[in-house]
């Protein structure tokens, strides 16, 4: 970990060189570095919290002066109960995940003694730009080292003291390991983001972790690929056949459990019959949770007549901009749709392609809908709030991507890897093949590493016969 | 296929809408469209060749006037023996490949009745910008439809008549199929590339097919992800232990078989002992094939003393720029390296991360080298010219990518797909899980589609026992 005042170019070049050394370290060497970082940060807790206290003091003053939001001050606080321990545990959790690199994911025999393998490897150099949260530095350092990537970290200036303390501890810890310290570069100097974002020769992937404004700024300022999402406009389509109790449970969770989350529900679509079957129950529950409902004309008219007057009085008419807004608070836009294709067209045009759900008992409609909606996560009968790396079983997440290439939805360690093609031969050359020459074999070989995969037709047959036997016995 | 004078925005919006309809068509519907296109182009051969003749006539005039290169004229010619038939066969080849979309590539049981699947799907809308070759239009149309993507095609103006003829035939053919004709948009109006490249709301991936200048221009002009490579600076490291005959065979193929290819060899690195073991034989063969050798000081001195005077006289000293140049002709830069780490550093800094080879009998050195070199394809004892989708067994290729994310090396149909996360539940919600609540199961489920994969520990055990039995019997 270099806590550096070097130029962005020097930082990026050093990270690039370091990344090549890191890429060839063994699983054990990378894991040992994470153990060392964990131990050093556990021992250095008082030191980090003392530095964090300085940041907090300044932040409190800024908040009083109105130049910093209270929620940002809260996010700065590493001393909050369990937060430091969670950060430490996160490092061990990442260490104990399966190694995402050096995995052979396909093998093809091109010809005798000419074998092509696809092997996972690190991407190279990551640029992580994040806002206040100082624990991100430990989290990202762990993810980067585990996946064999170098990382340049640029944090918000509000957490400068905390970063410096954490960086110096990680730096000392790394110096006892095989991971070159250039692999983690903490940049604290001001106004370097623009220059870092221009260094596409050295930086392979940029991950902004923060609000919509930060992500948009980054996306608009660089030709480096950016992994992430700017908006989280999630929708749910409620059909009239879905039981009111389940609909209420799902929609209340999606809207109320964490309205500031990118996976929170912002738009509820309903088919016309739902206006009288399940929507009234759902709307009543939402209103009782303090949710403002912005209704289109049909849903407004229908709910005004079906809800008791004290609730009906809370309903608001929607405006077109309500269907392009990420509210991030207790507000929900409601829209009535006549047909499923209308719903599909609306969602594909108005959602941010993050997470969209359908609630119905009709399997055929649901299947068609899941296929037609162009979003990173599509759900049937569950809450959009499920979109999260931990919930998906990734152990940890780098963020949630609405990109259309590379990695989509919650991104785990796999999203920080790519692959290379490894071809091993015995002096075969291209000119020997093709018209009149040798023929390509192109025989799919088993990926030896996975012992649960049948390696030839004989082994497939063994599996088949075992299954038949079991079926016959049952 | 719309042959259109609409604005780029209208084109992109229409393609986007069409892409959503195309995405939900069945394998059979997409394949039927390819059959229809194949038949129509077979029947329309005379019409297309007549249009092509007009382009050729104009091109010949331009070539005489010196405003067009002869190689471009050659590439325009669809009447060359077998070229039209190859184009037709290519459509059927793509049709008969495995469907790359709607494949479930992982399944996880998050909890009872709550199953997460990762399902492959099209990317959306592709923008293909290509130079003269008119057959690309059929090739790309086939790839796009097969992978469920809409495509906007912009070709060079030299082939306008050919494009118009092919487009009108494909358009008529599509009108008899389920594929909306808006899914393929041929843009012929001038000066629209810049505007198309700005439409990142509607276009998901840009694939430039053409020379280095085109690719650089596209990469520098858009925030849409670009798949491709600008340069093909491929290297080989020859170690002294590798037999001269095999070394010669490989290096002559890599340099001579198609020097204009992006996978042709541009730099030969040799270790110091190789200067006297195998390099003289290799150099003699290269010189006899008319290759200009640009040698660094040690290799120049050594070869001058070991080669016969008439060959030694052909050797040239290299300059630093020879190690950053894609020659694309019969020129090769030679560099002597003292250690393997020096070679690794040189290649990672000077190759274009396309394809790099090592020639040696030493497995440990080769393995280390393949792991340390940061390129899309890394080869041991074979020619860099092997880097090609057909040779890799992909059936066809979209291009070769030196990107660090999404798709790397030769890109087949898989490179035109991404995935979505499909979560199916029964009203489970996020707030039920976590501290004090329900526990996630996160149980990896088999991907049912592949019957050769063990679905549980019991089946893995069956495979293990079968293998042990075979080993014991052997």
């Amino acid at each position: 970990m270099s806590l550096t005042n070097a130029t962005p170019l020097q930082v990026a070049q050093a990270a690039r060189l370091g990344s090549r050394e890191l890429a060839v370290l063994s699983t054990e060497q990378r894991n040992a570095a994470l153990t060392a970082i964990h131990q050093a940060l556990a021992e250095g807790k008082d030191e980090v919290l003392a530095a964090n206290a300085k940041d907090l003091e300044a932040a409190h003053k800024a908040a009083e002066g109105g130049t910093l939001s209270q929620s940002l001050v809260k996010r700065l606080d590493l001393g909050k109960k369990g937060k430091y321990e969670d950060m430490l545990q996160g490092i061990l959790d990442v260490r104990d995940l399966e190694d995402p690199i050096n995995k052979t994911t396909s093998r093809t025999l091109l010809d005798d003694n000419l074998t092509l393998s696809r092997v996972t490897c690190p991407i190279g150099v990551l640029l992580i730009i994040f806002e206040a949260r100082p624990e991100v530095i430990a989290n990202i350092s762990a993810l980067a080292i585990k996946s064999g990537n170098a990382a340049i970290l640029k944090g918000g200036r509000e957490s400068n003291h905390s970063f410096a303390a954490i960086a110096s501890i990680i730096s000392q810890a790394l110096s006892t390991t095989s991971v070159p310290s250039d692999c983690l570069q903490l940049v604290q100097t001001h106004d370097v983001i623009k220059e870092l974002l221009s260094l596409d020769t050295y930086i392979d992937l940029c991950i902004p972790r923060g609000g919509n404004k930060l992500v948009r700024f980054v996306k608009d300022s660089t030709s480096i690929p950016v992994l992430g999402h700017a908006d989280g406009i999630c929708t749910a389509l409620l059909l009239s056949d879905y039981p009111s109790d389940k609909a209420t449970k799902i929609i209340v969770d999606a809207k109320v459990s964490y309205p500031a989350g990118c996976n929170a529900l912002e738009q509820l679509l309903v088919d016309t019959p739902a206006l009288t079957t399940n929507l009234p129950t759902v709307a009543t529950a939402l209103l009782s949770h303090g949710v403002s409902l912005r209704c289109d004309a049909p849903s407004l008219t229908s709910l005004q007549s079906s809800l008791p007057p004290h609730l009906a009085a809370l309903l608001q008419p929607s405006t077109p901009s309500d269907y392009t807004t990420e509210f991030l608070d207790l507000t929900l836009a409601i829209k009535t749709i006549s047909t499923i294709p209308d719903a599909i067209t609306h969602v594909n045009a108005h959602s941010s392609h993050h997470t969209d759900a359908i609630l119905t008992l009709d399997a055929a409609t649901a299947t068609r809908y899941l296929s037609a909606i162009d979003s990173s996560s599509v759900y049937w009968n569950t809450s959009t709030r499920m979109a999260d790396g931990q919930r998906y079983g990734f152990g940890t997440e780098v963020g949630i991507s609405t990109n259309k290439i590379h990695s989509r939805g919650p991104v785990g360690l796999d999203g920080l890897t790519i692959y290379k093609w490894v071809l091993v031969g015995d002096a075969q050359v291209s000119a020997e093949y093709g018209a009149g020459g040798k023929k390509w074999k192109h025989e799919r070989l088993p990926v030896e590493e996975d012992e649960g995969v049948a390696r030839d037709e004989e082994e497939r047959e063994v599996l088949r016969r075992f299954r038949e036997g079991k079926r016959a016995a049952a």
Side-chain angles (χ1 to χ4, degrees), chain A residues 178-411:
Chain A
S178 316
V179 173
S181 68
D182 278 349
C183 287
L184 291 175
Q185 302 264 348
L186 179 72
V187 180
Q188 287 204 306
T189 36
H190 295 323
D191 307 326
V192 293
I193 291 190
K194 277 229 158 178
E195 195 175 342
L196 283 170
L197 289 173
S198 74
L199 297 172
D200 59 354
T201 318
Y202 302 102
I203 299 171
D204 299 302
L205 184 64
C206 180
I207 306 178
R209 293 191 44 152
N212 167 312
K213 256 175 80 179
L214 174 70
V215 178
R216 280 187 191 285
F217 167 75
V218 169
K219 288 203 177 199
D220 291 343
S221 313
T222 186
S223 64
I224 302 169
V226 177
L227 195 81
H229 66 278
D231 296 309
I233 302 184
C234 301
T235 73
L237 168 61
L238 172 64
L239 298 189
S240 56
D241 70 322
Y242 198 62
S244 298
D245 55 339
K246 290 186 174 183
T248 303
K249 184 180 169 200
I250 292 171
I251 293 165
V252 167
D253 183 84
K255 182 68 252 182
V256 174
S257 65
Y258 184 53
C262 60
N263 52 14
L265 189 71
E266 305 291 16
Q267 291 180 36
L268 177 63
L269 312 187
V270 296
D271 63 359
T272 309
L275 293 178
T276 51
T277 61
N278 45 23
L279 182 64
T281 311
V282 171
T284 302
L286 288 167
L287 290 168
S288 77
H289 278 90
V291 178
S292 300
L293 300 182
R294 308 232 176 128
C295 308
D296 67 344
S299 62
L300 188 64
T301 311
S302 176
L303 286 175
Q304 275 172 335
S305 71
S306 61
L307 294 191
H310 73 285
L311 291 179
L314 299 171
L315 300 169
Q316 301 163 13
S318 65
T319 63
S321 72
D322 289 328
Y323 301 101
T324 56
T325 299
E326 184 180 17
F327 298 111
L328 292 172
D329 65 17
L330 288 176
T331 304
L332 182 69
I334 298 182
K335 185 178 170 65
T336 314
I337 54 99
S338 315
T339 67
I340 303 292
D342 283 355
I344 292 169
T345 305
H346 175 85
V347 171
N348 281 335
H350 293 82
S351 100
S352 60
H353 310 289
H354 186 297
T355 302
D356 296 287
I358 181 170
L359 311 185
T360 180
L361 297 177
D362 180 354
T365 302
T367 307
R368 209 166 358 118
Y369 194 77
L370 298 178
S371 164
I373 294 297
D374 180 26
S375 294
S376 63
S377 290
V378 287
Y379 291 180
W380 181 18
N381 294 347
T382 184
S383 160
T384 55
R385 292 268 301 124
M386 294 292 193
D388 170 275
Q390 223 109 24
R391 291 169 186 162
Y392 277 20
F394 300 168
T396 185
E397 80 175 25
V398 180
I400 292 185
S401 163
T402 53
N403 292 14
K404 295 295 287 284
I405 65 163
H406 189 64
S407 209
R408 208 177 183 202
V411 178

Side-chain angles (χ1 to χ4, degrees), chain A residues 38 52 74 110-111 116 122 190 192 216 285 333 367 384 401 432 436:
Chain A
H38 173 265
N52 188 238
K74 242 184 242 169
L110 301 192
D111 193 3
L116 179 71
H190 295 323
V192 293
R216 280 187 191 285
T367 307
T384 55
S401 163
E432 295 174 300

Side-chain angles (χ1 to χ4, degrees), chain A residues 60-136:
Chain A
H60 278 300
K61 275 193 199 143
E64 281 161 24
T67 58
L68 205 69
S69 74
Q70 282 297 348
S71 72
L72 212 142
V73 175
K74 242 184 242 169
R75 272 184 276 150
L76 258 182
D77 188 356
L78 268 180
K80 241 177 36 189
K81 74 166 167 55
K83 203 165 173 188
Y84 200 88
E85 284 63 37
D86 283 355
M87 177 184 93
L88 291 177
Q89 184 56 42
I91 299 168
L92 298 186
D93 288 349
V94 170
R95 181 196 66 188
D96 296 340
L97 290 172
E98 197 190 335
D99 190 352
I101 62 171
N102 299 317
K103 284 198 295 193
T104 300
T105 53
S106 86
R107 286 170 71 234
T108 311
L109 189 75
L110 301 192
D111 193 3
D112 294 334
N113 296 315
L114 184 65
T115 305
L116 179 71
S117 308
R118 191 177 60 189
V119 182
T120 63
C121 60
I123 289 175
V125 178
L126 315 176
L127 170 62
I128 324 280
I129 300 174
F130 49 107
E131 293 177 326
R133 307 172 170 262
E135 72 274 22
V136 167

